[in-house]
Amino acid sequence: MAEIIVVTSGKGGVGKTTTSASLACGLAKAGKKTAVIDFDVGLRNLDLIMGCERRVVYDFVNVVHGEASIKQALIKDKRFENLYVLAASQTRDKDALTTEGVEKVLKDLADDGFDFIVCDSPAGIEKGAFLAMYFADRAVVVVNPEVSSVRDSDRILGLLASKTKRAENGERVKEHLLLTRYSPERVEKGDMLSIADVEEILGLKVIGVIPESPEVLQSSNSGVPVILDDASNAGMAYVDAVARILGEDKPLRFVTVEKKGFFSKMFGG
């Protein structure tokens, strides 16, 4: 049975699509048949980050409206045999998605043997974001360690607890925090909330902490999810996050200030 994971946040620009792409690649690399769906109708960025923008023929809205089959619209990733992308429409309105249409797409993917379906949610609380989370079994709430992002994420947690199918059935969506753009140096100076601060405010544990890293933007621009960059701290942190989603116990990395040794200080290393 497919597990549906929504990647969501209250605030835009925190790294949801980067996270969705990296989690999907990580799950596929771990041998799980994975689909990742862009719910951001009208904007569409997931296909760019996944590097398949030129291969989009049919999109999510086409499938919801019966204009194409799910098999016609799914784009098979060139790096992993078991990874597929369903792009959003750039030309349609956000109201083009319907609850019944989304449910059918998710059911068709589950029936086709997918292990994981990653839903890349638009920011905020409009229709696309609501539909991205409505059928979720698990939620990864992406948060920057600053006050406005944390406050907006608190609102999203409230919706996950009350406005999802699981909530209607008296169950809970399994919720995780994923901190992005984390800088131990800025935390130490008091310019940024610490991991403990965010966990305490939101009442949730982090499943991953992604360090601030120029490689994230570079990877996005080149159409290669940062998790595939083995030399990047951000990539390694996403690998750890996927392992935790799959039940492994991994210590957090890249969350403390590196202390310079005596010779580094002496010679400016």
Side-chain angles (χ1 to χ4, degrees), residues 211-225:
E212 209 162 29
S213 166
E215 285 84 12
V216 173
L217 183 59
Q218 290 161 12
S219 294
S220 296
N221 287 339
S222 61
V224 181

Side-chain angles (χ1 to χ4, degrees), residues 7-9 16 39-41 94 120-126 128-129 132:
V7 178
T8 183
S9 76
K16 280 187 303 301
F39 274 77
D40 204 353
V41 175
K94 292 189 187 297
D120 180 26
S121 172
I125 53 174
E126 42 75 25

Side-chain angles (χ1 to χ4, degrees), residues 48-69:
L48 287 170
I49 290 179
M50 293 295 291
C52 62
E53 69 278 6
R54 293 182 182 175
R55 297 167 58 208
V56 177
V57 179
Y58 295 107
D59 58 49
F60 190 17
V61 173
N62 292 139
V63 181
V64 165
H65 286 269
E67 297 156 0
S69 70

